Amino acid sequence: MRTSIATVCLSGTLEEKMLACARAGFDGIEIFEQDLMVSPMSPQEIRALADRLHLTLDLYQPFRDFEGVDEDTLAANLRRAEAKFELMNRLGIDTMLVCSNVGTATIDDDEVAAAQLRRLGETAQRFGIKLAYEALAWGRYVNTYRHAYRIVELADHPMVGTCLDSFHILSRGDDPAAIADLDPARIFFVQLADAPVLALDILSWSRHYRVFPGQGGFDLVGFMTHLVHSGYDGPVSLEIFNDTFRQSNVQRTAVDALRSLLWLQDRTAERLGDTAGRYPMKLASLPPAGAPSGMDFAEILTEDCESVAALLAQLGFTFVGQHRRKPVQLWTQGGARIIINGQRATGTPASISALGFQVASPATSVERSRRLRAAPVPRHSTADEAVLRGVIAPDGTEVFFADATADPAWAAEFGDGAGAGREPASCLVTGIDHVNLAQPWQAFDEAVLFYESALRLSTSPATEVPSPLGLVRSQVMRTDDGAVRLALNLVPQVLDANGHGDARHPYAEHVAFTSNDIVTLARQALEAGMEFLPIPENYYEDLAARFGLDEDLLGTLRSLQLLYDRDGNGAFLHFYTRTVGRLFLEVVQRLDGYDGYGAPNAPVRLASQFEHNRLRAR
C-alpha cells in the first residue's frame, strides 16, 4: 500500500515536515496550500527536495467552493483553478483535491454541479491534472460520499474522480459498505482520519480532534476492508487536524503517523484473511506476535534505592540479591518481581523505568515492535548473561520481551540465589495486577497506539478523574484475560509562577500488586512500620451510606486505611503506600469477579496525595 500524509498533520516548516516524513518512511505527501504559501522555497525547489528525499508529491489541496454557482462565479473559479494548475505543474503534482461547496453554492442541482465539474475537468486536462472531488461532511448541498460519486458519474470526464475521506464518511454515521461497489478507476484519492466519539458539531470535531488510525473510536479496519474490496490501489493518506500534533515534535509525530498506517494494514489483512491476496492493494503484514501472557517484571529507577526497598520489605517482599556487576537489586514475592535500578540514577526520583512482558516468542515481538518504528533499547550484556530484547515506548519506558516462564534466566544473575529460598511459603502478594504510567500531554495518543499495535493490548473506554490539579484522563489497556493491565494517565500540566513545570506537584506512577488476603497483609505492613496514604473520615461516612457496610467491615477498612468498591460482579479492596519520589505502590484484592480499578476512589487518592505533597513542600 502506498502511504502518504498531508503536511497539515505536522508541526514545523514545510522543509522540516518533508524531512520528517521521509525519515519516518512515508512514500509520499500531500501539500497543504498554506504550507506552500508560507514557505521560502519555490515550487521547483520543493519538487527537487521531494526527489532527493524519494517522496512523491501526491496531492495539492484544498480547492474550495467551486460547484453549484452562477456563471460569473464559475468564470472566476475557473480562472482561479487555472492558476493553481500552473502552480501544480511547477510542483510536479498531478492531482488536486476539490472540496464540495460549503459557502458560495446557490444552485442545488446535481446536473449543474456535474456540468461545472466537467468544465473544470476540461481545463485541468490541458495541464495533465486530475480532480478528486470530496464531499465535506458539512457541505451545503453535497455532504455524503455517495452523492459526490453520483455527481462524478454525471460529469463523466476522465479527469474527474472522487476522494474518499473516512472522517467525512464516518463522522456522519454513514455506512461505508457501498465503497466496495464503486468503480476504482473513479476513486482518485483516499484520506484517513480517526477521531474520539464526541457529541460536537462536525466542523469543530474535524478541525481539532482528528487522530491517527487506532487512536480514536472509528472502525477504520472496516472502512479499509470495503476500500480493498473496491479494487482501489492508489495512495492511502492521512489528513489529521489536531491541535496537539501541530505543536508536537515533528519527527515523533511522523513516526506515530506511519505506525498507525502499518497497524491498520496489518489489522485489515487479518480481517481479510486468505482473501487478502486477491485484490490489487497489497497490504503490509506485521510479524504475528500474540499478546503477552503475563508481567515478567517492573523496574524502578532511583537514586533512593533504600526507600523503595523499605516499601517492598514492609509488604513482605524478599530481597533476592544484587546483580553481580551492576547496582541493581531484585525483590520478589509470589509471581511479582521488582527490580530497583540505581545505575546512572544520580538525582533521579523513584519512577517506573522499564516493564517486562512474558510472550511466546521474544524475537517475534521485538521484530513486530521494530517494524512499527519503535527504537531498540541500547543494552550492554556480557557473554554469560541472559539476552533481554526490548524497545522504547513513546513515554520513554523501556519495554522488554521475555519467555513465559516462572523462573526467568536473567534472575540467576542476582546474588547467589539464596534469597529466593527465604520467601515465605504462603505469599500474601501473588503477582502484579496492573501498572499505572503517567503520560506527557503530547505522547498520550501515541502511547495508546504503541501499546495496542506492538503488544496487542485492547483498549477500554477512557475515563476522566477529577483531581485538585484538574482532570486526569485515564486509558486502561489490557489483555483479554486481564493477565496484563496498563493504565495510561494523561495528567494536567501544572505550572509554577514563572510558567514552568511545577516539581512540587509531580504526578506519581505506581505498581499495583494482587493479594489473596489484603487485610492480613495490611496489618503485617502496618506492624512493619509502613505509612499508608491517609484516607479522610468523610470517605468512610460516604462509603457506609453508599453500600450499607456492616460496622465490623467498616471499622476494619477505617483502621487500615483500606478503600472499597463494589459493582454487579463483586467487590474490590485496595490500599496505597506513601509516595517515594514519583512512585507509590498499591495492593488490591478482587472478589467474586470484580474487574475494575476502584475508579470512584481515584479522586480520594489524588486529593490525599496532593495534600501530602503540599505539606511536604512547606
Side-chain angles (χ1 to χ4, degrees):
M1 184 180 87
R2 286 176 56 201
T3 60
S4 187
I5 183 172
T7 55
V8 73
C9 303
L10 306 168
S11 66
T13 66
L14 179 56
E15 182 179 10
E16 289 171 335
K17 297 179 184 194
M18 293 174 69
L19 289 169
C21 292
R23 289 169 182 160
F26 277 93
D27 298 315
I29 60 171
E30 307 174 30
I31 297 289
F32 196 72
E33 186 172 62
Q34 185 173 342
D35 285 321
L36 174 67
M37 288 170 54
V38 301
S39 175
M41 294 189 293
S42 69
Q44 292 85 347
E45 288 172 330
I46 293 169
R47 181 176 186 173
L49 176 59
D51 286 342
R52 292 197 300 273
L53 296 175
H54 304 290
L55 284 174
T56 56
L57 299 179
D58 298 326
L59 186 78
Y60 184 82
Q61 68 127 325
F63 192 75
R64 304 183 190 275
D65 296 337
F66 174 78
E67 84 293 358
V69 297
D70 58 57
E71 279 299 317
D72 288 343
T73 305
L74 177 64
N77 286 345
L78 288 171
R79 287 194 299 272
R80 176 165 58 98
E82 188 164 344
K84 296 302 179 184
F85 295 153
E86 291 174 347
L87 171 65
M88 290 172 63
N89 280 172
R90 291 157 63 199
L91 284 165
I93 302 178
D94 67 0
T95 306
M96 182 168 74
L97 180 71
V98 180
C99 303
S100 64
N101 200 324
V102 302
T104 62
T106 57
I107 305 170
D108 184 10
D109 187 317
D110 287 359
E111 294 284 354
V112 170
Q116 292 179 348
L117 280 174
R118 189 182 309 115
R119 288 179 63 179
L120 183 62
E122 290 167 354
T123 302
Q125 191 168 29
R126 302 202 317 266
F127 296 88
I129 302 294
K130 297 183 296 181
L131 309 172
Y133 180 56
E134 173 187 61
L136 297 181
W138 51 90
R140 185 165 187 182
Y141 300 130
V142 181
N143 48 42
T144 69
Y145 77 97
R146 292 182 184 88
H147 194 176
Y149 186 79
R150 185 163 64 248
I151 291 173
V152 165
E153 287 185 309
L154 288 172
D156 193 25
H157 192 280
M159 307 308 279
V160 179
T162 194
C163 172
L164 299 173
D165 185 309
S166 67
F167 181 86
H168 294 298
I169 294 170
L170 300 178
S171 64
R172 295 179 56 89
D174 210 352
D175 185 357
I179 291 173
D181 301 322
L182 303 184
D183 180 359
R186 283 185 162 145
I187 304 174
F188 284 1
F189 208 74
V190 171
Q191 294 174 323
L192 295 179
D194 206 339
V197 178
L198 300 172
L200 195 68
D201 70 275
I202 295 179
L203 182 57
S204 298
W205 191 11
S206 171
R207 286 291 177 258
H208 302 284
Y209 296 102
R210 297 194 195 193
V211 289
F212 296 129
Q215 298 176 347
F218 290 164
D219 179 14
L220 288 186
V221 177
F223 181 92
M224 280 295 297
T225 301
H226 298 310
L227 181 66
V228 171
H229 284 158
S230 75
Y232 175 77
D233 191 28
V236 176
S237 185
L238 297 170
E239 187 193 43
I240 313 295
F241 297 91
N242 184 291
D243 298 343
T244 299
F245 294 171
R246 284 186 276 187
Q247 54 185 309
S248 301
N249 179 276
V250 62
Q251 188 60 58
R252 284 188 55 163
T253 305
V255 169
D256 186 32
L258 188 67
R259 180 182 294 132
S260 74
L261 288 181
L262 294 170
W263 168 86
L264 184 59
Q265 290 181 76
D266 183 65
R267 289 290 303 276
T268 304
E270 281 186 357
R271 184 170 295 188
L272 290 168
D274 294 338
T275 67
R278 301 177 187 175
Y279 301 99
M281 184 180 292
K282 302 307 177 187
L283 301 169
S285 293
L286 298 169
S293 58
M295 295 290 301
D296 194 47
F297 66 86
E299 179 186 276
I300 299 163
L301 180 68
T302 181
E303 179 183 45
D304 187 9
C305 296
E306 290 184 2
S307 294
V308 176
L311 286 181
L312 293 173
Q314 289 164 348
L315 290 176
F317 276 74
T318 297
F319 173 58
V320 175
Q322 181 161 305
H323 193 274
R324 57 191 177 214
R325 68 177 185 88
K326 295 181 285 188
V328 179
Q329 304 173 19
L330 173 62
W331 292 73
T332 67
Q333 185 176 183
R337 287 182 286 271
I338 300 296
I339 294 171
I340 305 176
N341 186 353
Q343 185 174 223
R344 292 187 292 275
T346 302
T348 303
S351 57
I352 297 169
S353 56
L355 298 173
F357 297 92
Q358 295 178 339
V359 296
S361 171
T364 304
S365 292
V366 168
E367 179 59 23
R368 180 184 179 89
S369 300
R370 294 296 308 279
R371 291 270 296 276
L372 287 162
R373 302 303 194 267
V377 174
R379 185 175 183 274
H380 173 72
S381 58
T382 58
D384 60 344
E385 291 177 348
V387 176
L388 279 178
R389 303 177 178 90
V391 295
I392 301 174
D395 64 356
T397 303
E398 296 179 350
V399 172
F400 289 97
F401 301 99
D403 289 313
T405 174
D407 298 307
W410 57 263
E413 299 166 17
F414 290 83
D416 56 8
R422 296 196 299 270
E423 189 168 288
S426 178
C427 299
L428 296 177
V429 166
T430 57
I432 295 176
D433 183 86
H434 65 275
V435 176
N436 181 304
L437 298 173
Q439 299 297 312
W441 63 270
Q442 71 274 24
F444 185 82
D445 291 320
E446 185 183 358
V448 171
L449 177 60
F450 169 81
Y451 286 111
E452 181 176 5
S453 60
L455 273 72
R456 310 201 68 160
L457 301 182
S458 301
T459 58
S460 303
T463 59
E464 290 184 340
V465 179
S467 82
L469 301 177
L471 287 178
V472 176
R473 178 184 171 195
S474 182
Q475 176 75 67
V476 173
M477 311 196 68
R478 51 172 286 172
T479 54
D480 292 339
D481 62 2
V484 170
R485 303 168 186 254
L486 297 180
L488 307 181
N489 284 359
L490 175 63
V491 301
Q493 178 73 6
V494 182
L495 303 179
D496 60 20
N498 297 316
H500 303 300
D502 191 346
R504 295 174 300 170
H505 302 294
Y507 184 86
E509 303 176 317
H510 74 271
V511 180
F513 302 110
T514 304
S515 176
N516 52 19
D517 186 352
I518 194 171
V519 172
T520 299
L521 176 58
R523 285 176 175 152
Q524 291 182 1
L526 193 62
E527 292 173 1
M530 171 163 280
E531 295 179 39
F532 296 129
L533 183 71
I535 306 301
E537 174 59 27
N538 293 333
Y539 168 78
Y540 293 104
E541 289 187 14
D542 178 71
L543 206 60
R546 281 192 294 139
F547 295 115
L549 304 179
D550 66 63
E551 286 301 319
D552 287 343
L553 176 56
L554 196 61
T556 298
L557 298 176
R558 183 184 283 112
S559 66
L560 297 174
Q561 305 289 305
L562 295 178
L563 295 97
Y564 179 90
D565 189 33
R566 190 170 69 206
D567 61 16
N569 297 316
F572 187 65
L573 295 163
H574 57 136
F575 69 80
Y576 302 106
T577 72
R578 65 185 175 90
T579 300
V580 175
R582 295 186 177 178
L583 175 85
F584 64 97
L585 304 177
E586 180 185 11
V587 177
V588 310
Q589 184 172 7
R590 302 177 181 275
L591 300 172
D592 303 322
Y594 183 98
D595 201 36
Y597 302 87
N601 299 329
V604 179
R605 188 257 297 175
L606 290 165
S608 182
Q609 288 175 331
F610 173 82
E611 183 67 12
H612 177 75
N613 286 341
R614 188 172 67 85
L615 293 174
R616 185 172 58 181
R618 286 181 178 176

